[in-house]
Amino acid sequence: MKSVYIYASRLRAFWVLVPMSTLLMLSIAFNSSTEGALKLYPLIIFSIGAIIFTFIFLFRYISISYSEIKYIGRFTSRDSATINAEKTLVIELLEKKRVNIKLYGNEGYNPEIKWLTKADGEDGDVCLFRGKAYGGEQVAVRLLMYFGVDVKDIDVILADEGFSESYENVTVSTSVVDSHREIKIRFDKTV
């Protein structure tokens, strides 16, 4: 089944590539007028390597499907979790188009820490995946559409507090916590 890929790096972080690219272009331009056996080839090779390493270092995505959620990128935590029935995906919309994505559920673990259990002694949900993404409401719209939410309900979900509606495989609800909008997608069945 297809996945939704959410960009998890800040675009402004790529501004660090501008001085490296400028150094590369200048070293290529002045290479022919330089005297010496090696000329500026070591600087050219170093600049190319630095640009490639920086791009690989900053490349981060979060992949979300009906079966799992995971980080993609060489220098990420490579955290992943399985998505199945009775788990909840929480999308927290923050300021400056930041988005926290969390997956809560219970994998059947017996928590030894008291605050992980509910008052009636039943095991509580724990955070199985935690990630940050960038894109604001567009991220929420893409995820809602992927999980089968009606297009006519998306504006209501993004605007209203206290929305709750069941769809084919998920139940979507909204709330405001600490002045941030939270969209909860509860998986009703394993797909």
Side-chain angles (χ1 to χ4, degrees):
M1 187 171 258
K2 286 185 184 180
S3 297
V4 174
Y5 296 99
I6 299 170
Y7 193 66
S9 294
R10 291 183 178 166
L11 286 176
R12 68 179 177 196
F14 285 97
W15 279 100
V16 75
L17 294 174
V18 172
M20 292 182 212
S21 301
T22 305
L23 179 64
L24 177 64
M25 289 187 289
L26 289 174
S27 59
I28 290 172
F30 290 112
N31 189 36
S32 60
S33 62
T34 305
E35 296 180 8
L38 293 177
K39 295 193 174 196
L40 295 176
Y41 290 118
L43 182 60
I44 293 170
I45 292 170
F46 176 77
S47 299
I48 292 171
I51 290 170
I52 292 171
F53 174 78
T54 305
F55 184 76
I56 291 172
F57 182 79
L58 296 175
F59 178 80
R60 294 169 190 195
Y61 279 94
I62 297 175
S63 171
I64 302 174
S65 68
Y66 273 103
S67 60
E68 75 174 337
I69 180 171
K70 65 181 176 178
Y71 261 118
I72 296 175
R74 186 72 185 136
F75 292 94
T76 63
S77 64
R78 294 190 196 161
D79 194 13
S80 66
T82 305
I83 296 177
N84 49 27
E86 304 302 320
K87 291 189 179 173
T88 304
L89 183 69
V90 178
I91 306 163
E92 185 179 4
L93 302 174
L94 305 171
E95 61 275 342
K96 298 181 183 177
K97 293 195 173 192
R98 293 180 296 146
V99 179
N100 282 340
I101 299 173
K102 299 175 185 175
L103 180 69
Y104 288 96
N106 189 336
E107 294 280 320
Y109 303 121
N110 185 10
E112 296 180 16
I113 304 171
K114 296 285 186 197
W115 54 269
L116 284 178
T117 57
K118 296 179 182 174
D120 58 2
E122 186 179 315
D123 295 343
D125 289 344
V126 294
C127 187
L128 301 171
F129 179 87
R130 181 176 285 131
K132 287 187 179 180
Y134 299 92
E137 290 183 351
Q138 285 82 17
V139 170
V141 169
R142 286 182 60 206
L143 287 173
L144 290 169
M145 289 178 67
Y146 176 76
F147 288 118
V149 175
D150 291 336
V151 177
K152 62 181 179 176
D153 291 340
I154 291 179
D155 289 334
V156 177
I157 292 170
L158 294 175
D160 290 346
E161 178 183 343
F163 177 86
S164 183
E165 183 73 34
S166 292
Y167 298 96
E168 184 179 349
N169 297 321
V170 297
T171 300
V172 177
S173 61
T174 61
S175 62
V176 175
V177 177
D178 296 332
S179 74
H180 301 296
R181 179 167 303 283
E182 278 190 359
I183 301 169
K184 296 179 182 177
I185 303 172
R186 178 128 178 115
F187 297 94
D188 298 328
K189 54 182 150 178
T190 304
V191 178

